[in-house]
Amino acid sequence: MTRFVQTRPALRDPYTSDWQLQGWLDRLLGPDGHAAAKARLAAVSADVLGPLRAAHHDAETHPPTLTRFDAWGARIDRVDTATGWQTLRASAARHAVVALPYTSDARTTWGAGTRVVQHALLHLWGPESATFSCPVAMADGAAALLTATDPTSPWLARLTSTDPDQAVTSGQWMTESQGGSDIARSTTTARRLPDGRWALTGDKWFCSAIDADMAIALARPEGAGPGSRNLAPFLVPRYTPGTALPADGLQVLRLKDKLGTRAVPTGEVRLDDVPAIPVGDPAVPGLARMMTLVVVTRLHNAAAAAGGMRRGLEYALSHAANRQVAGGTLAGNPLHRATLGGLAVDAAGAYALAAHAFSLLGTATTSTASATPAAEELRLAAPLAKLLTGRLAVASASEYLEAFGGAGYVEDTGIPRLLRDAQVLPIWEGTTNVLSVDVLRALTTGDGARPLLHRAEIAADAAVHRLPGVADTVIAATRRLAADVGTAAADPRSDRVVAGARELALRLGTTLTAALLLEHAAWAADRGDDRPALLASLWTLRRLGNTDVSADLHTHFDQLV
């Protein structure tokens, strides 16, 4: 008897096969700017198709371990990680996934667009990184914070190095067991020593990338007032200089046994007068400084969501092309085509939102002005991008598992990891509810939602002649949003407004995504490409208009993917 063996899903070149990525790079960078990035992006893509997939598998199948004591009883708190994890660490440095926005050559070539190129690198590299994208995110956030506060720091030079032997990553030690996201309840204290140095004491409950060479920790300086705004960021060297031993007074209490992101060593840390370096003036309330880091890591979260959605779609498409069902392939089944087509539209929306946020970050951080339109828009776009893409990623990952049937539920296929790893995205750096409250705060500061609503109005007006039904849907949604935003901004602490914050934030994110897709569609249509208009139409009608577009998803399936 011949035993049936299902064809293993294959992966196309993630750069050259992704027409949406290519189109957005052409538009945001210009043809010359995209051309200047092609060699770098092709190199990442080749690594993803080659050694990084093996490294990813090795890191996933050999999770980190913690050895607290050596054979003679000395406390060593050694965290061991897989060879594949170290390979991914080296590749992150070589491909400059952290360093690119900080290098003078890149800024000369792309200017504000350097963050656009970085996002493209993350989009290609991240899904095959065993979630090494997590320490990458925190390293970028730490680098952004040091750039703003201490640009001559030797730690900044190492965070942004492209030499694997010199580059380091960073942890992020914010939460404590009693407070969680309510960091105002933090009890970690910062004490100034007689020699002028600082030391931290306290427990940190969720410390990702505990093997990183440094971490940014929040603590309350001695004499500082209560509340979250008076906390200050400190740089904590993880190891005793010149050794592999933990810094004096630092203990790793345990590693977390997590649902997903299992290759990332995440631990609980106890600090007992651990040497630390203030990031900025500790006498000045420091939460606002820390937000420089948080904005960057939230954008990385959105990039991970969008990249993971696209990679999951690629695997599901490959399986559908090979899997025989009822006398044909899954890819020929109208219902399955409509299902995958909807996932392609969602992946396109997530990519648009993440790419836009990175573009805003690039513009905001290259301006010499203290306040810019890009910075104002980013204040709202960052939590919206993180919030919406995280939820889309979990829903999509669940569908990808289902698309594989029973194989999607079997660990050694690697498919269940898509769902396990996606679930961290709506949690890390703020749950949906936490971010929704942050959105309410953003509505009452600066220009609030005005840039977002204005963008949607302009995009809809431009689409009236090409896509009248779609434009009408966006206009109606924007008018409703404007009224609801006005109500929320007038009394953001009322029970009614707070109770509806999640729904309002999701509508804002969905409307912004529709506007971004329509903007890109108009640009592409002028160049003879109607596929982005199809994506924009299907996203808008389905997500804003609550319209059943299943037949269109089936009919236009080949154009969507």
Side-chain angles (χ1 to χ4, degrees), residues 41 46 61 65 80 124 126 199 242 292 314 418 424:
L41 297 173
T61 52
T65 60
D80 292 310
L124 299 172
T292 299
E314 282 294 309
L418 298 176
V424 77

Side-chain angles (χ1 to χ4, degrees), residues 63-443:
T65 60
L66 170 63
T67 302
R68 293 185 181 85
F69 301 95
D70 70 9
W72 304 102
R75 185 104 194 197
I76 57 173
D77 287 348
R78 189 183 70 238
V79 177
D80 292 310
T81 54
T83 300
W85 186 252
Q86 301 307 320
T87 299
L88 292 162
R89 182 190 302 278
S91 77
R94 284 199 315 274
H95 291 298
V97 292
V98 173
L100 193 72
Y102 305 93
T103 61
S104 57
D105 287 349
R107 293 196 300 270
T108 298
T109 302
W110 296 294
T114 304
R115 284 286 184 181
V116 174
V117 181
Q118 181 196 30
H119 174 242
L121 290 172
L122 292 166
H123 190 71
L124 299 172
W125 180 86
E128 232 72 34
S129 73
T131 331
F132 198 87
S133 51
C134 173
V136 158
M138 295 184 293
D140 192 3
L145 179 59
L146 290 175
T147 297
T149 59
D150 188 7
T152 62
S153 168
W155 286 102
L156 176 59
R158 296 196 66 189
L159 286 165
T160 58
S161 174
T162 56
D163 179 353
D165 293 330
Q166 294 296 318
V168 299
T169 54
S170 177
Q172 186 171 318
W173 301 351
M174 294 176 65
T175 58
E176 299 178 12
S177 57
Q178 75 282 358
S181 61
D182 183 9
I183 58 173
R185 298 174 64 191
S186 295
T187 59
T188 300
T189 58
R191 181 172 71 92
R192 190 155 197 167
L193 304 176
D195 62 5
R197 295 179 300 161
W198 287 80
L200 306 189
T201 296
D203 286 357
K204 293 296 184 180
W205 186 80
F206 200 92
C207 304
S208 291
I210 195 62
D211 62 328
D213 286 79
M214 56 162 281
I216 300 294
L218 275 181
R220 195 176 307 281
E222 55 186 358
S228 60
R229 68 181 297 270
N230 290 308
L231 297 171
F234 288 81
L235 191 158
V236 182
R238 168 75 172 81
Y239 299 103
T240 299
T243 76
L245 296 174
D248 290 342
L250 191 154
Q251 293 183 359
V252 181
L253 301 181
R254 63 170 172 164
L255 294 184
K256 299 291 192 183
D257 185 8
K258 298 167 293 178
L259 169 68
T261 64
R262 293 176 177 174
V264 183
T266 304
E268 290 183 37
V269 171
R270 173 158 295 165
L271 308 168
D272 187 5
D273 263 357
V274 174
I277 304 165
V279 182
D281 185 352
V284 176
L287 187 61
R289 292 196 298 281
M290 191 68 173
M291 288 306 298
T292 299
L293 182 154
V294 171
V295 167
V296 171
T297 52
R298 283 179 174 176
L299 265 55
H300 276 261
N301 199 94
M309 290 169 70
R310 179 67 197 186
R311 193 63 50 84
L313 177 64
E314 282 294 309
Y315 284 121
L317 290 171
S318 175
H319 182 67
N322 291 297
R323 181 64 175 165
Q324 294 290 323
V325 176
T329 64
L330 267 178
N333 180 280
L335 179 56
H336 200 69
R337 286 164 65 88
T339 301
L340 292 183
L343 291 167
V345 173
D346 286 348
Y351 177 82
L353 198 49
H356 175 62
F358 269 83
S359 180
L360 289 175
L361 178 65
T363 302
T365 53
T366 54
S367 172
T368 56
S370 58
T372 66
E376 285 291 335
E377 189 173 355
L378 185 63
R379 175 71 181 88
L380 184 58
L384 289 178
K386 193 275 183 190
L387 178 154
L388 184 57
T389 59
R391 298 196 65 78
L392 286 172
V394 174
S396 294
S398 179
E399 290 283 2
Y400 294 141
L401 266 66
E402 196 171 339
F404 280 87
Y409 202 67
V410 177
E411 280 288 352
D412 57 7
T413 66
I415 305 302
R417 181 190 59 79
L418 298 176
L419 183 56
R420 288 191 284 102
D421 287 355
Q423 187 58 66
V424 77
L425 297 167
I427 296 175
W428 191 62
E429 290 298 11
T431 63
T432 303
N433 284 358
V434 168
L435 287 165
S436 297
V437 173
D438 197 22
V439 166
L440 287 183
R441 294 192 193 99
L443 296 180

